[in-house]
Structures are given as structure tokens and as C-alpha cells.
Amino acid sequence: MAIDTPARLAVLGAGPVGIEAALYARYLGYDVDVYERGQVGAHLRLAPNLRRFVPWVQCMTTLGCAALSAQEESWSRPALTECPTNGEFLERYLAPLAHSDLIVDGLREQCEVVAVGRQSLFKGEHPDEPVRIGDSFRLLVRDSSGVERLAAADAVIDCTGVDGTHRWLGTGGVPALGERAAASFSFIHYGALDPSEAQSARSAGRRVLVIGAGLAAAASVVSLSGSTPRPQITWLTRRELAPNETPVAEIADDPFPARQALARRANQLAAAGDGVRHVPGVTVSAIELLGAAGPMLVHLIGAREEAIEVDQIVAGVGGRPDYSWISELHVTCSMTSEVPAAMDRLLAAMAAGESTEGLAGAESLLTTEPDYYVLGAKNFGRRTGFTLPVGHAQVRDLFKLIGDRQGLDLYATMPKLTD
């Protein structure tokens, strides 16, 4: 819906997409508050030495580079074809951008959004769109010391991603018996393992169980295999494999060579069996702690039933969106993918190879709650396929919608990124 400047926009999440959205909004003259429950790029900080498969040229935007150049003459753009680590991306681009003059005054780090509703309407009141549009948003936010306050916004842009809410190891997405206890004692690492963690005393030379069939699991297997002394690695994937099928799917003609190389290397390690034992078709039913400092006895079910003793679990099982704080809003999501309805129709059509006419573009970002938008990985819910260039396109399309200007494209008006 069209929103005139200077309206106040609330951006939830100070990750790569949230900061780009805030920058775009500030260039257009909106007042912006960015709420981040941790620090800028919080999830990048969890694995700073992990190399991204998207090169610099697609990690940055022309608008972001123009803002950094204007902010600091000494800022130098990195080599566009190289793939940065998470730490490099944060240090050289995202953090300076978040603390630039355009954004920093509205940046609220260590500030968690607890709930979002309307100023005067309950969820069940006036479901007709025009009435709800006229009522601004009411946000309850809490700082790191536990102090709560109220804030207002004319629109909310949710860029909180999916990394903050991991999935569980057990069958049907339910936690395995003992999983919560093992996680509370830090015996389970959810997400991709940073190479430095793979080299740590917790992993090197020990027995490590890696779970998952995606890039996070692949990156963990590769990192662990390169550590010294090398741990004993057992790699579990839920699906049974057909002949010639690999643990991680390799994308034909992958536009990101680094992603293809990562998947291929992990698959080669599994096939060779040199220090990596791959067990397909199984899930975890229970985890027993055998002592205060470990190890664990992990019970498997599925194609085979066995119990294996390990010192650490690395769970590359993915994340899921968290909508717990918007229970008073009218946001309809797919029951299976947890994707907002309009985007779910687009992604489903793309997956089926059907026509996307009338589904793509800015309209795919509309939700059933007026002026509440979901961008970034959260907009893909449980579906895969999100990349940072997609997030940049979402930011551009969103402000075509908010600004009611179909030709609006700030990225196109800035100097192109070329070596």
C-alpha cells in the first residue's frame, strides 16, 4: 500500500536484508527504526570464518556502496568476484553500513520486539482492509536489561529470517527424547559449524555426529574433515538414497560455483568413506547423556536401528520462521511452508514450472495484514532457494509498492559495480 514520506517504518532484524531495507527507506525520506535483539549481523557472527558461496558483487548493492563511499572516502570496495567469509562481509560492508549516518540514529541493537499489534484494533475487529490501514502499528519492545517500552510505526518490515528458530532432530519435527537437555548443555550445535570450531578441542580428534542434507551440513562435514586431528564423522540424512543419488543435491549449472563446489566436496567425502561414515534413511529418536561432560548415546530409527556414542552433534537441520509476536495481526501463511500466502503461490508455481504471470513482482510481497511485509529468508519460510540477491530484489520491489512508483529503482540510479 502507498505510504507517503515522512512516515515511520519499523524494520525488524539488522541482518543483510534488514539493513538494505532501512538504507533504501532512508534514501527515500522515511523515518526508520531498526530493531535487533542482538547485534548487527548476529547470525553472521556465529560462524565468522565460514565462506559464503555468493561473491561480493552479489552481497552488496550499488546503493550500499554509494552510501559507504559518501560516508568515508577511504572506504575501498572489495574484489567483486571473491566470495567473502561471514566475518569479512560483516566487517567490510554490513556493520559500516548499519552505523552510517543514514541508519545509525534509528538503529536499536539489543532491543527485542516482543509483540506487534494495532494501536486500537484487536485481531478480530474490523477485518476489512480500509479500517485497519488507518490504524498504526503498536510495538512492545524490550531492551537487554529487561526494560519494556512502546513504539509506533506506520508500516512493519519483518526481516528476522529463520536462523533464530532452529528445527528439531526428532521424527515429525518434534524434539527427540533428551534433545532439549543435550542442547541446554551445549552438546548440540545447530547450524553450520564454523571452521575454527571444527578445529577446537570440542571437535578435533573426537566423535562428531553431523545431521542434515543441506548446505549447512555439507559445510560442517567439509570443515570437520579439514581439522587436525581429524574427528570420526558420522553423517546422517533422513531420506534413503536412490542409486547414484548423493547426500546433498547438486544443482545442475549452478549460478554459484562455490555452492556447487561445497556440495560436491561433501558428497565426495561421503562416497570415499575416509573418515566420514554416511548413514541415509535414519532419524534420531533419543539422546542420552552418559555423563556431565558427555559423551552421548544417540538412538537412531528408520532404515536401520542402532545406538552410536558421540561427543558432539552438529545439526544442520535448517530453521523456520517465528511469527509468535504477531498473533494479533491478520497474517495468513501456508500451513506446510509457513510462507505468506501471496509469496507461497508464486514459489509453488515456480516449483511446478507453471506460469507466474500476475504472481511475481511487488504484489508477491503483500500479506493479508495491510502494511506488514515479510522480506528475506523468512519470506521463503521452510522452502529453500533464498539467496541474498533475491533479498535485494525484494527490497527494491517493496518500495515500488510502498512508494506507489512502478519505475522506482534506486539500485539502477547508482554507479554500477564493476572491476
Side-chain angles (χ1 to χ4, degrees), residues 298-309:
V298 181
H299 297 265
L300 309 180
I301 57 173
R304 60 193 299 162
E305 295 189 9
E306 63 175 300
I308 60 174
E309 195 171 295

Side-chain angles (χ1 to χ4, degrees), residues 133-202:
I133 289 175
D135 199 35
S136 59
F137 289 95
R138 185 172 186 259
L139 290 77
L140 176 65
V141 300
R142 180 171 57 212
D143 67 20
S144 58
S145 62
V147 176
E148 296 182 342
R149 65 179 179 86
L150 293 172
D154 297 297
V156 175
I157 306 172
D158 188 342
C159 306
T160 53
V162 298
D163 291 327
T165 312
H166 61 75
R167 301 193 204 180
W168 297 102
L169 301 181
T171 303
V174 176
L177 292 172
E179 180 179 356
R180 288 177 179 271
S184 69
F185 286 102
S186 301
F187 287 109
I188 304 178
H189 175 98
Y190 294 95
L193 193 67
D194 188 86
S196 63
E197 293 179 297
Q199 189 63 56
S200 72
R202 176 177 285 277

